[in-house]
Amino acid sequence: MSTNRPLTTALPPRFKRPSLFTWGIALAFLALFIQGAMATNVTLERLLRGVVNLSHFLGRAFPPDLSNLDVLAWSMFETLNIAIVGVTIGVILSLPFALLAARNTAPAPWVRILTRFIVSTMRTIPDLIWALIFVVAVGLGPMAGVLAIIMDTIGFAARFFSERIEEVHPGPSEALSATGAGKLSVIGGAILPETLASMTATSLYSVEKALRSAVTLGLVGAGGIGVELAAAMRLFNFDRALTIILFILVVVIGFEQLSSQIRKRVI
């Protein structure tokens, strides 16, 4: 039997000659990259000047200002409150959105399409934009931050919840349906128990994400320690700003470690 086949047919797909469409995509990306680099004015001179300015910032930031740590602790506690309250409400509201967006639990195709569009809209709008909207709606303070976290959490969690619901093995659901169980009974008895571990892990990731978001939301007046950081930077109190940054770093890393331990026990 002859084995003299063309080399291109024996190679894996990734080693074959790219098609014209692939070359077109690659050239378009390269053109956009070059245009973007020119439009953002990325130059060696600016980068070197930035390094010098950063060294000046670090020189003025050390040693950190450790006065009024009680004020920073209260602001950080407020940030935790914003994240936890926002995520808790957001995760609870994400569940009905996920059930309506999943293919195997949606009551009708048009309901699934509409719900997916709503969830995608919530996810597409950045949390800072949500914060600005709610600052205008309800005024400055933590409430605007909580509402922004709720919207961002629904967009994040509902998507992953719905995808996990669609991956559920149909066997238990079909068995319950065969016994005459209704739709809600099937969801509560077969679908939710199987997805509980995955939803718990997603919820914990949501808290981590919300904690980082809650810090930045304070920069636009939505409460929390971000307000203190914005004030310190505007007043050129770089030593206090460094203290706030280190404070945030310790709390965020600590919570991520705690979240990892919880996930290991749950999953």
Side-chain angles (χ1 to χ4, degrees), residues 234-255:
R234 281 196 298 266
L235 296 174
F236 302 102
N237 294 331
F238 296 143
D239 51 351
R240 183 169 177 80
L242 180 61
T243 304
I244 296 171
I245 293 171
L246 295 175
F247 210 112
I248 295 169
L249 185 65
V250 170
V251 172
V252 171
I253 291 178
F255 191 87

Side-chain angles (χ1 to χ4, degrees), residues 71-184:
V71 176
L72 296 184
W74 178 255
S75 297
M76 194 69 230
F77 183 66
E78 186 177 67
T79 299
L80 284 171
N81 288 338
I82 293 172
I84 292 174
V85 173
V87 168
T88 301
I89 298 175
V91 166
I92 293 173
L93 295 177
S94 294
L95 186 56
F97 275 98
L99 292 171
L100 293 174
R103 185 174 291 102
N104 52 337
T105 55
W110 69 267
V111 174
R112 179 174 62 86
I113 294 172
L114 178 61
T115 306
R116 283 182 175 271
F117 175 76
I118 295 173
V119 171
S120 297
T121 301
M122 292 181 181
R123 186 173 62 252
T124 302
I125 299 176
D127 47 13
L128 278 176
I129 303 300
W130 283 121
L132 288 171
I133 292 172
F134 288 121
V135 163
V136 173
V138 301
L140 298 171
M143 185 176 179
V146 169
L147 293 173
I149 293 294
I150 290 173
M151 301 299 288
D152 188 61
T153 300
I154 293 174
F156 174 77
R159 174 193 174 185
F160 289 100
F161 287 0
S162 64
E163 291 178 353
R164 183 64 186 92
I165 290 171
E166 290 181 343
E167 295 170 356
V168 169
H169 192 275
S173 300
E174 293 173 353
L176 278 178
S177 298
T179 63
K183 191 74 172 178
L184 292 179

